[in-house]
Amino acid sequence: MADENLRLRAALRDLVALSTIPAGWIGIEPRTIAAGLADILTGSLGFDFAFVRLLDPTGGVAIDVTSGCTTREFLDWLQVQLSTFDGSLRRQIIPNVVGFDDGLKSLRGIIIPVGFNAYAGVVAVGCERSNFPTETDRMLLTVAANHAATAFRSANFILERRRAEEEVRKARDELEMKVMERTAELQRTMAELAHMNRLATAGILLASIAHEINQPLTGIVMGAIAARRWLALKEPGIEEARDALDQIESAGHRAGEIITSLRGMFKKETQARNPIDINKLIFTVLAIVRHELQKLGVELRTELDESLPALEGDRVQLQQVVLNLVMNAIEAMPVAPRILSIRSCISKPNFVHVAVEDTGTGIDPSNHDHIFNPMFTTKERGMGIGLSICHSIIESHNGRIWVTRGIDKGSIFQFELPTNVGQGDQARQHQA
C-alpha cells in the first residue's frame, strides 16, 4: 500500500509539473518545443532516453530532437517502429543526433503520437525499468504529447499568421506601386488630352488670335508712319514724334502680352500654382474670343465682382476651363438672340463662383448626368474631352463644376473654387 501511495504521489507531482508546460510554450518555435519536450521526458519524468520528431506543416524537413542516451539495439527497434508510419514520420533517424551508451541495459520502449493520427509527429521513450511502460507512464506521456501538439499547433498558427501578414504587406506594397504608376499614367494621359484640347481650340480661334495680334501690329505700323512724318517736317515735331514712339512702345508691349498669353495657353506644360485674379483671367479669355463674338453677333454681358479674393491655382489650366465654357456657350447659340453672360461673385465664405450662361437650346435632361463624362459629346464633330478636362481641372483645384438650365432658356455652366487649396480640402470634407 505504501509503494502504491508513493507511485500515486509521484504521478500527481509529474502531472502538476506537466500542467505548467503549455504556458511556457506559447509562441515558441517548433524546434524549441521539441527540445523542451525531450528534456522534460528525461529530466522531470526520469526516462532514460527520449526522441521527438515534429513534422513541418509546410512540407519541409521534419525536426528531430533527442535527450538522454540509448543503445544501438533500441535505436534499431525504434527505426523499425517508425517504418510502420507514413510519409516523413518513417524517415531515417540521423545517427549524429543520438547519444549512445553501451553500458545501458536493455531499454523498453513506447511510441506516442503527437496530435490526432500523429499529424504533428511522434514521441518515443526508452526506459530501463522492468515494468515500463505502466499505465501511469502512458498517461504522463500522452499528457505531455498532447501539450506538445497544442503548442505546436499554436506555433504553426503564429507562423501562418506572420506569413499571411507578410504576403498581405507585399501585396499592399505592390498594389500601392501599381496605383502610383497608374495615377502617373492617368495624369500624363490627362495632360496630353488637355494639350490636344487646347490645340483644337487654337484652330477654332485662329481668326480671333490673328485679329488680336493684328491690332497692336497695325498700331505699331501707324505709329511709325506718324513719327516719320513728324520728323520729316522742316521744323520737326519732336513732342509729337515722341508721342508716336510711346504709342509704338505700348502697342509692342500689348503684342508681347498677347503672344505670351497665347503661348502659355497652348503650350504642353502646365504652370506652378500661384495667386490668380479670376476676373483678369476672364478678361484675357474674352480678349481672345472677341473677334469670334463680333463675327457671330453674340452680345456679351459681364457681372464681375471686383472685390473677389485671389485664387491659388494653375493659370493655364483655369484659363482653359473658362475658354472651353465660353466656346461651348458660343457654339450652343446657332440662332438669335445670342447672349453670353459671365458672372463672378463670392458664393460662400472662401469660395469664388463663376457662371457662364448662354441663350441656346439647352441640354437634353437625359444627357445631364453624362455631360462631364470622357468621350461624351452632343456635337457632330466633338471630341468629347473638353468638359471632361474642365471637370478634372476643377476637381484637381479642390472645387466643383456643374450645369443647370438657364433662367429662360439655354444652360448655365458654373464652377466654384476655394480661395486657397487648404480651405478647399476642408470645405470638401465638410460637404461630404
Side-chain angles (χ1 to χ4, degrees), residues 177-187:
M177 182 62 66
K178 289 181 180 179
V179 169
M180 292 174 61
E181 292 174 354
R182 183 59 176 162
T183 300
E185 181 182 348
L186 289 174
Q187 289 175 343

Side-chain angles (χ1 to χ4, degrees), residues 163-229:
R163 191 179 299 111
E165 289 175 349
E166 179 64 19
E167 291 177 355
V168 169
R169 185 189 64 80
K170 289 182 179 179
R172 184 183 65 246
D173 292 344
E174 292 176 359
L175 179 60
E176 289 179 353
M177 182 62 66
K178 289 181 180 179
V179 169
M180 292 174 61
E181 292 174 354
R182 183 59 176 162
T183 300
E185 181 182 348
L186 289 174
Q187 289 175 343
R188 289 192 297 270
T189 302
M190 184 57 68
E192 189 68 29
L193 288 173
H195 181 230
M196 291 170 57
N197 180 250
R198 289 196 292 270
L199 292 180
T201 306
I204 296 173
L205 297 176
L206 184 59
S208 293
I209 294 171
H211 179 76
E212 287 300 311
I213 296 177
N214 188 58
Q215 281 187 330
L217 292 179
T218 300
I220 291 173
V221 173
M222 296 302 295
I225 293 174
R228 183 182 292 111
R229 286 177 177 175

